[in-house]
């Protein structure tokens, strides 16, 4: 083999190696692979039942844990992928980020994990428990069920600084589109997944600027006057910012399409929700999802499966935590 040909082959190999390394570095934000329905069918056949029973018990005690767990799963997946890193507690972890301080339902996940460790030690990941619990939370609020692919492993990194770019209450449609695109979710999946706000709540501090300090006047003129008066009563100008309000007025505990109908009537509580109606890029999608022949439930299930596979760790990556709040 000539020297020139040997050098060319070596350069080709280095180029391939660089591409491979780059691919590994950027893989986490994308849709994961390696999960499958029934992953624990032989290693822990009662896994889904144990999780479902734990979530049901928590829900019967406090129905508001359902939106809390759904939101927790969402926030987990948007930060380094669905790896259960939101469950790790401690100083400067994701839990301490401003957007996560009001998350609820950690005790439900911990309860499920304790039972699973007793039944199948070291088998079921915390990331999978959270994905299953999110599905069960939707079912308990009269939403659709779906098969959850499992096989995720748990991440070891949880930093508050990584949670600074989560979708926010004041985001425009363009900003929301970019954040969803960053994890390879479409605009339609954005509108469908945000429909989870049908059972959601927010603290007064997340939207009080719309009630009193709008840049267009004393209050945001896009808010329905009846809703405005109601929200001003619930959230006085100098009142407690942590008081929580339903995001789907009149149907806040049922998983349905009422959320989209409210947007069409100017009754979106968060700015980021109401702009889905005012922006021409998303309004047609909202109109389809609020129609009598809406496919919202089926689309939500598909979008949840897609989201739950963002940047998952599988195989030899990550770990199976013995306790969800701490790395092994």
């Amino acid at each position: 083999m000539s020297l020139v040909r040997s050098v060319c082959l070596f350069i080709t190999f280095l180029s391939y190696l660089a591409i491979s390394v780059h691919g590994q570095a950027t893989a986490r934000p994308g849709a994961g692979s390696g999960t499958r329905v029934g992953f624990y069918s032989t290693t822990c056949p009662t896994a889904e039942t144990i999780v479902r029973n734990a979530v049901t018990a928590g829900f019967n005690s406090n129905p508001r844990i359902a939106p809390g767990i759904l939101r927790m799963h969402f926030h987990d997946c948007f930060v380094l992928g669905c790896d259960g890193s939101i469950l790790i507690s401690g100083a400067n972890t994701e839990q301490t980020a401003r957007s996560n301080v009001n998350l609820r339902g950690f005790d439900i996940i911990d309860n499920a994990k304790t039972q699973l460790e007793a039944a199948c030690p070291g088998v079921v990941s915390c990331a999978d428990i959270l994905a299953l619990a999110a599905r069960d939370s939707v079912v308990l609020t009269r939403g659709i069920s779906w098969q959850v692919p499992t096989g995720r492993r748990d991440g070891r990194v949880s930093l508050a600084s990584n949670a600074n770019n989560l979708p926010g209450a004041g985001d425009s449609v363009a900003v929301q589109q970019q954040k969803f695109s960053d994890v390879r979710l479409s605009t339609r999946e954005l509108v469908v997944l945000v429909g989870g706000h049908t059972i959601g709540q927010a603290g007064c501090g997340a939207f009080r600027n719309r009630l009193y300090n709008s840049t267009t006047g004393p209050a945001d003129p896009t808010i329905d006057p009846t809703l405005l008066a109601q929200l001003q009563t619930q959230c006085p100008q100098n009142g407690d910012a942590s008081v929580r309000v339903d995001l789907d007025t009149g149907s806040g505990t049922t998983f349905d399409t009422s959320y989209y109908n409210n947007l069409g009537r100017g009754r979106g509580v968060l700015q980021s929700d109401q702009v889905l109606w005012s922006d021409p890029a998303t309004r047609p999608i909202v109109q389809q999802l609020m129609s009598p022949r809406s496919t919202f439930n089926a689309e939500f299930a598909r979008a949840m499966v897609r989201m739950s596979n963002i940047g998952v760790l599988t195989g030899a990556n990550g770990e199976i935590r013995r306790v969800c709040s701490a790395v092994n």
Side-chain angles (χ1 to χ4, degrees), residues 62-261:
N62 176 16
R64 285 303 181 181
I65 63 98
I69 291 173
L70 183 59
R71 182 170 178 240
M72 190 193 305
H73 182 44
F74 184 99
H75 283 210
D76 183 43
C77 291
F78 268 68
V79 179
L80 296 181
C82 309
D83 63 353
S85 54
I86 187 65
L87 302 168
I88 298 174
S89 61
N92 300 315
T93 60
E94 290 172 36
Q95 288 187 22
T96 67
R98 182 178 178 181
S99 55
N100 290 332
V101 292
N102 291 319
L103 288 178
R104 292 174 293 175
F106 294 103
D107 56 326
I108 308 302
I109 306 302
D110 289 341
N111 180 29
K113 180 61 172 175
T114 298
Q115 294 182 54
L116 284 164
E117 284 299 300
C120 318
V123 174
V124 182
S125 70
C126 299
D128 275 344
I129 295 172
L130 184 52
L132 292 166
R135 185 268 313 276
D136 296 337
S137 296
V138 171
V139 173
L140 286 166
T141 51
R142 305 180 192 174
I144 193 172
S145 183
W146 63 91
Q147 291 186 308
V148 178
T150 46
R152 299 165 191 78
R153 289 172 66 83
D154 297 321
R156 298 184 177 95
V157 177
S158 182
L159 297 172
S161 57
N162 287 336
N164 290 335
N165 203 40
L166 283 165
D171 287 352
S172 67
V173 167
V175 170
Q176 293 181 71
Q177 285 176 313
Q178 185 59 58
K179 290 178 179 180
F180 275 70
S181 176
D182 287 345
V183 292
R184 300 181 191 174
L185 293 173
S186 69
T187 296
R188 188 171 189 92
E189 288 169 323
L190 182 169
V191 179
V192 168
L193 287 169
V194 173
H197 284 173
T198 182
I199 57 170
Q201 290 186 316
C204 291
F207 58 86
R208 190 151 50 196
N209 64 308
R210 299 187 70 207
L211 311 182
Y212 304 101
N213 299 311
S214 170
T215 56
T216 57
D220 186 337
T222 65
I223 303 178
D224 170 71
T226 303
L227 177 65
L228 176 61
Q230 177 183 329
L231 293 176
Q232 287 177 332
T233 298
Q234 293 173 289
C235 302
Q237 189 164 9
N238 297 312
D240 186 352
S242 66
V243 170
R244 302 189 71 75
V245 172
D246 286 344
L247 297 179
D248 185 3
T249 307
S251 184
T253 58
T254 303
F255 199 91
D256 56 22
T257 59
S258 172
Y259 162 81
Y260 296 111
N261 285 279

